[in-house]
């Protein structure tokens, strides 16, 4: 799947994902592979990844647990998210039963920590990335693991759906859990949001520009309701819509570390 082509893989292929970032990449690749030739795919999808398969043209068989899905499989593709141990355990099980393991890195930070749970590191046989920066970072950090640069088919799809930015639009703020309070007893994502609201004019954003908050897929419903009540008339919560639709309305896009910022660029 390097460059713009699609490399044939032998099935059965097992996809195990919990977080949305790697799932969107992997589902895009599997969709392209299945459109090119028959490929048996089994999937164990939990968390925010569970609802994403419906956005793709896929022929997949879903499993409740990884051990059954891996039985007789030739390949595992797994995400590398923070929110669960699902993907880590899948890599450990694939290693134990001799199934070739590929992990998808959809981001640019904390690479080694993504493969560690409870002090145990489990590396895959291959790492797949979707941009040159990630390829360079992963190659340096994992010199003994094959790192493969794949086409970012998910990004290509998003760009086809997004129009040019409006001259006078709104701010789209992309939320993401910081998973740290940075020593201040306030979740980092709220600190960052408050900082942005206080200093947005320094980025050239006119005072009074409407701000729409787009929750991260892992955010709990109602998480930002109290914050919004304190910012009535200034900020609103974006309804559940495709990212492309939110980006279409925005002249400015802000956030912390979320991969959606790369799509905005």
């Amino acid at each position: 799947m390097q460059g713009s082509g699609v490399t044939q893989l032998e099935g059965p292929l097992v996809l195990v994902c919990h977080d949305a970032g790697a799932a969107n990449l992997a589902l895009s690749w599997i969709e392209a592979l299945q459109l090119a030739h028959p490929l048996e795919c089994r999937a164990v999808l939990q968390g925010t990844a569970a609802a994403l398969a419906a956005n793709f043209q896929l022929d997949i068989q879903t499993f409740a647990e990884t051990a059954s899905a891996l039985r007789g499989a030739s390949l595992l593709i797994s995400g590398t998210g923070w929110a669960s141990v699902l993907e880590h355990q899948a890599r450990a099980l694939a290693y134990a039963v001799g199934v070739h393991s590929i992990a998808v890195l959809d981001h640019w930070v904390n690479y080694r920590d993504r493969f560690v749970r409870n002090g145990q590191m489990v590396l895959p046989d291959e790492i797949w990335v979707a941009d040159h920066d990630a390829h360079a970072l992963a190659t340096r950090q994992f010199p003994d693991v094959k790192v493969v640069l794949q086409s970012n088919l998910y990004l290509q799809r998003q760009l086809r759906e997004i129009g040019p930015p409006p001259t006078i639009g709104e701010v789209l703020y992309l939320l993401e859990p910081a998973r740290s309070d940075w020593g201040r007893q306030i979740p980092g994502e709220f600190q960052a949001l408050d900082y942005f609201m206080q200093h947005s004019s320094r980025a050239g954003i006119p005072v009074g520009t409407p701000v729409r908050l787009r929750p991260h897929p892992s955010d709990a419903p109602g998480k930002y309701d109290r914050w919004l009540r304190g910012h009535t008339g200034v900020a609103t919560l974006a309804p559940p819509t495709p990212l492309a639709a939110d980006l279409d309305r925005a002249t400015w896009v802000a956030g912390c570390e979320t991969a959606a910022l790369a799509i905005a660029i």
Side-chain angles (χ1 to χ4, degrees), residues 176-199:
E176 181 171 14
R179 299 186 175 89
S180 174
D181 65 4
W182 302 325
R184 297 176 180 175
Q185 289 72 56
I186 299 172
E189 56 266 37
F190 285 95
Q191 293 182 52
L193 180 56
D194 287 337
Y195 185 89
F196 170 79
M197 296 298 290
Q198 293 163 14
H199 300 285

Side-chain angles (χ1 to χ4, degrees), residues 223-241:
K223 176 177 176 178
Y224 294 94
D225 288 356
R226 182 178 177 183
W227 187 94
L228 285 164
R229 286 195 295 271
H231 296 80
T232 303
V234 179
T236 58
L237 193 69
T241 55

Side-chain angles (χ1 to χ4, degrees), residues 49-71:
L52 296 178
N55 299 331
F56 299 87
Q57 300 179 51
L58 295 167
D59 179 14
I60 60 174
Q61 181 182 5
T62 57
F63 283 72
E65 50 93 26
T66 305
S68 297
L70 282 175
R71 198 167 294 125

Side-chain angles (χ1 to χ4, degrees), residues 24-112:
N24 276 320
L25 287 174
L27 290 166
S28 298
W29 293 329
I30 292 170
E31 178 186 62
L33 288 166
Q34 288 191 331
L35 289 173
H37 63 84
L39 175 66
E40 180 183 349
C41 179
R42 308 166 183 173
V44 181
L45 302 175
Q46 296 180 6
T48 55
L52 296 178
N55 299 331
F56 299 87
Q57 300 179 51
L58 295 167
D59 179 14
I60 60 174
Q61 181 182 5
T62 57
F63 283 72
E65 50 93 26
T66 305
S68 297
L70 282 175
R71 198 167 294 125
S74 61
L75 179 68
L76 167 71
I77 297 179
S78 60
T80 52
W82 293 99
S84 82
V85 298
L86 174 73
E87 299 153 335
H88 178 85
Q89 290 175 343
R91 284 187 287 274
L93 185 56
Y95 178 81
V97 299
V99 173
H100 190 79
S101 174
I102 296 171
V104 178
L105 285 171
D106 61 295
H107 223 296
W108 305 275
V109 295
N110 303 318
Y111 277 4
R112 297 193 70 82

